[in-house]
Amino acid sequence: MSRPTTGKTHGKLFRTITAAATAAALGLMGNAAVGLFDVSAASAQDADTLRIGMRRGLLTFDPHNNGAYGTPLMNVFDTLVRRTDDGKFVPHLAKSFEQKDDHTWEFVLNEGVKFHDGSELTAQDVKFTLDRVVGDESLIESPRFATIKEVKVIDPYRVQIITDVPDPVMLNRLIRMGGAIMPEKYFKEVGVDKFSQNPIGTGPYKVVRYNVDQQIVLEKFADYFKGDVSDWDKAVLTILPEASTRVNELITGGMDLVDEVPPSEWARVNGNGNTAIVPGDSTQVILLMVNSNEQFPTSDMRVRQAIDYAIDDKLIVDKFFQGMGTPTRTHITPGILGFNEDYYDTYLYDLEKAKALLAEAGYDAGHPLSLTLQVPKGRYLLDSELGQLVGAMLQVAGIQVNFEFLENSKYVEVRNNNNNKELMLAGYGNSMFDPFLPLNALNSKTYFERLGYRNERVDELLDKAESTVDQASRAEMYREAQAILAEELPFIYIYAEQYFTGINTDRVEFHPPTSKDVLIEDMPKKKAD
């Protein structure tokens, strides 16, 4: 069944959604009640302390098992290499790196690099780190490192990574949290649970206090191998789930920077005199993860396509996020290899087409389609409100929607244990800055139990692209895969997001990174005019 790719006509959804459904979907955008969280400890202003208000805490301080997009973890840990804003890879913990042949990468470490406990980083720590993330398949990061066959210590400061196939994205893998180097001796002494409570890395900041889901206190590491890279001696990161609480703290001077400010608060922040909203582009795409396993009605491609036609992505971006975002039918965003403009800044909204496809699949007013939409609460910007709006759109198309709202930790548990139902609202970034990361999730070898999706041609393209060194050829493979996925819809993409940070313009400067990482060294003190 061929689907049009020119659906840019803005549907008039607000003319068809009932007033009650609209109110339920959009009414929640107003200010939430101010929470009772005590932030007094973070409010005392110190010239050398950066105070950050965050919507959510860390799932874990184990970088190999976190999987979140945009966290403060990488203040504490370092990777062998880093990626610059213009897409180049540069040495970091490694002072040099070289691809010896199609299967072998060699890294020479900087000597004298210290972990926070004073022990020295060696090649053995690199081997331990990568052996762990490759060998423990229960770790979230493990699938991203599956091409690694062996990590070989050549001498105390030289290590080789040997892959079982040519790997054109090895450096992209190593910039992820899964490439965060951990101290073998300390980790083995304390175990994963105690390590997560008292983490040690080589990063520019060390953890001095960690209260789960409450506060993280970081202090500058005096022996950091790069020297003094930040203006701040200390950073206090306080978890403030309510947006209105974060904004109140920013406006009253209790916080210097707060994340995930919703549109309903932008005017208040921008109108305060010394606070401002700073928008940033990201690689994160908000989508519906579809369960295509045969026991679910969403195993029928016509049902998936009907759901896509029922959602007015343009209206969501324009009205819900005030134009800050881009409708998309692909996960590959501009600047990423294989970007296909035919599927970006476009969408398919056609309510009658949605109803016709449902009827073709055997569903009508007498036999309506009923499905469950699982929605996180507090994981993404306006996630529960967005879920209700999407559900209202589906109901207008004649689909009965049962909502399951899940707190962040429960949401992750449900997803990781493959207990997802027909639809799950999700947001996936691309911290590798390569098509492999978002698209390999749709390779049937990766998450088949969770997604139930298999297309032999997609598998073939993704497998071949993963081991093809020629980047132009890889790009064509990924473009073909995107075309198939846009038709078959194992993921139903909604929009590519921007993110919005509130800052105290008297105290801090901020240039939002595409990675969304909360890096203190990228938040310099405001310079005097």
Side-chain angles (χ1 to χ4, degrees):
M1 179 177 177
S2 177
R3 307 177 70 212
T5 60
T6 57
K8 295 195 178 189
T9 302
H10 187 183
K12 303 299 184 182
L13 182 68
F14 280 178
R15 295 179 182 175
T16 56
I17 291 184
T18 65
T22 304
L26 293 177
L28 292 175
M29 285 183 63
N31 294 348
V34 175
L36 299 178
F37 191 91
D38 180 11
V39 297
S40 58
S43 297
Q45 191 171 95
D46 181 334
D48 296 317
T49 297
L50 178 67
R51 300 152 308 156
I52 300 175
M54 300 182 64
R55 184 180 186 183
R56 65 179 185 269
L58 294 171
L59 293 172
T60 173
F61 244 116
D62 179 352
H64 300 164
N65 207 31
N66 190 287
Y69 182 56
T71 80
L73 276 175
M74 301 312 283
N75 295 290
V76 177
F77 300 98
D78 280 314
T79 52
L80 293 172
V81 296
R82 281 188 172 180
R83 182 182 183 274
T84 62
D85 291 340
D86 59 0
K88 296 178 181 177
F89 294 97
V90 295
H92 192 55
L93 285 176
K95 67 179 180 181
S96 66
F97 58 86
E98 178 186 4
Q99 186 170 14
K100 308 291 283 188
D101 56 47
D102 284 351
H103 295 262
T104 307
W105 287 85
E106 184 169 286
F107 299 83
V108 180
L109 302 180
N110 285 292
E111 297 184 24
V113 176
K114 298 291 182 62
F115 286 104
H116 299 154
D117 63 354
S119 60
E120 186 181 8
L121 168 75
T122 70
Q124 184 59 40
D125 296 300
V126 176
K127 176 176 171 57
F128 163 75
T129 294
L130 296 177
D131 282 351
R132 177 183 185 244
V133 76
V134 172
D136 186 348
E137 295 182 357
S138 69
L139 296 171
I140 291 174
E141 287 291 308
S142 186
R144 284 69 153 146
F145 291 82
T147 62
I148 296 179
K149 177 182 178 181
E150 180 186 3
V151 181
K152 184 184 296 185
V153 173
I154 306 302
D155 62 43
Y157 302 105
R158 192 182 306 267
V159 64
Q160 290 184 347
I161 298 175
I162 302 167
T163 59
D164 53 11
V165 294
D167 188 346
V169 292
M170 175 54 68
L171 299 180
N172 302 72
R173 301 180 196 281
L174 293 174
I175 64 173
R176 287 183 55 84
M177 286 185 289
I181 305 303
M182 300 165 68
E184 178 181 25
K185 184 175 183 293
Y186 175 73
F187 187 92
K188 287 182 174 178
E189 284 177 355
V190 302
V192 64
D193 290 339
K194 289 188 177 179
F195 181 90
S196 296
Q197 295 166 8
N198 298 284
I200 284 178
T202 61
Y205 285 85
K206 60 184 180 181
V207 179
V208 295
R209 187 164 68 249
Y210 175 39
N211 298 323
V212 178
D213 289 333
Q214 294 183 37
Q215 201 169 74
I216 303 167
V217 180
L218 303 176
E219 186 178 277
K220 188 180 289 185
F221 180 42
D223 291 329
Y224 187 52
F225 79 104
K226 288 282 189 180
D228 190 354
V229 298
S230 171
D231 290 343
W232 306 98
D233 292 340
K234 184 184 290 186
V236 179
L237 293 77
T238 304
I239 312 308
L240 304 171
E242 296 290 345
S244 57
T245 305
R246 294 195 301 281
V247 170
N248 286 340
E249 283 296 313
L250 178 68
I251 289 175
T252 58
M255 295 289 158
D256 301 311
L257 181 148
V258 297
D259 69 1
E260 297 194 37
V261 182
S264 58
E265 297 282 7
W266 293 350
R268 193 155 70 105
V269 174
N270 285 328
N272 185 53
N274 69 334
T275 59
I277 293 294
V278 182
D281 293 323
S282 79
T283 61
Q284 180 151 285
V285 173
I286 303 298
L287 55 90
L288 294 178
M289 184 170 69
V290 185
N291 197 326
S292 298
N293 281 290
E294 60 182 9
Q295 67 266 37
F296 295 100
T298 40
S299 61
D300 188 327
M301 186 168 68
R302 294 169 298 183
V303 169
R304 302 196 296 272
Q305 292 175 347
I307 292 168
D308 191 26
Y309 277 116
I311 300 172
D312 192 338
D313 307 304
K314 179 68 169 173
L315 183 140
I316 288 172
V317 168
D318 286 352
K319 301 297 185 183
F320 201 61
F321 293 104
Q322 298 186 23
M324 299 295 187
T326 306
T328 185
R329 299 178 58 214
T330 178
H331 207 135
I332 308 306
T333 52
I336 303 297
L337 179 80
F339 171 67
N340 190 332
E341 62 183 11
D342 291 341
Y343 297 100
Y344 193 77
D345 198 11
T346 185
Y347 64 105
L348 300 175
Y349 172 64
D350 187 330
L351 194 58
E352 295 309 312
K353 185 70 171 177
K355 292 177 179 179
L357 282 164
L358 289 172
E360 188 179 323
Y363 301 100
D364 54 29
H367 180 226
L369 170 64
S370 178
L371 51 78
T372 297
L373 172 56
Q374 294 166 309
V375 181
K377 295 177 64 178
R379 185 171 178 84
Y380 312 109
L381 180 64
L382 293 175
D383 45 15
S384 59
E385 296 90 337
L386 175 59
Q388 290 183 72
L389 177 55
V390 169
M393 292 176 173
L394 298 183
Q395 289 167 353
V396 169
I399 300 171
Q400 294 181 355
V401 178
N402 305 304
F403 292 98
E404 284 186 13
F405 293 97
L406 305 171
E407 297 296 340
N408 187 40
S409 58
K410 182 63 176 178
Y411 170 86
V412 173
E413 176 189 331
V414 168
R415 183 197 64 190
N416 291 352
N417 291 327
N418 303 321
N419 292 324
N420 50 299
K421 304 290 180 59
E422 288 93 343
L423 299 175
M424 175 176 269
L425 184 70
Y428 290 114
N430 186 359
S431 57
M432 278 178 61
F433 296 91
D434 187 88
F436 166 82
L437 183 59
L439 296 189
N440 197 57
L442 301 169
N443 189 318
S444 64
K445 298 193 298 294
T446 307
Y447 295 127
F448 184 77
E449 186 177 354
R450 182 181 303 170
L451 299 178
Y453 174 74
R454 178 180 285 116
N455 179 298
E456 292 183 0
R457 179 57 179 165
V458 170
D459 286 353
E460 179 186 3
L461 288 166
L462 297 182
D463 285 342
K464 191 173 182 181
E466 188 177 0
S467 60
T468 297
V469 175
D470 181 73
Q471 296 292 353
S473 297
R474 291 183 73 231
E476 287 305 312
M477 295 172 200
Y478 284 125
R479 289 190 185 98
E480 182 181 344
Q482 288 172 76
I484 299 170
L485 296 170
E487 176 83 11
E488 299 191 348
L489 296 172
F491 284 170
I492 297 173
Y493 300 110
I494 301 176
Y495 74 101
E497 75 163 11
Q498 289 184 294
Y499 68 106
F500 308 94
T501 305
I503 66 169
N504 182 326
T505 55
D506 290 339
R507 290 264 295 166
V508 65
E509 297 180 3
F510 183 54
H511 304 286
T514 308
S515 67
K516 291 183 70 175
D517 284 335
V518 183
L519 294 176
I520 298 162
E521 61 188 278
D522 290 344
M523 303 173 184
K525 288 182 180 180
K526 174 69 174 182
K527 295 179 176 61
D529 293 332

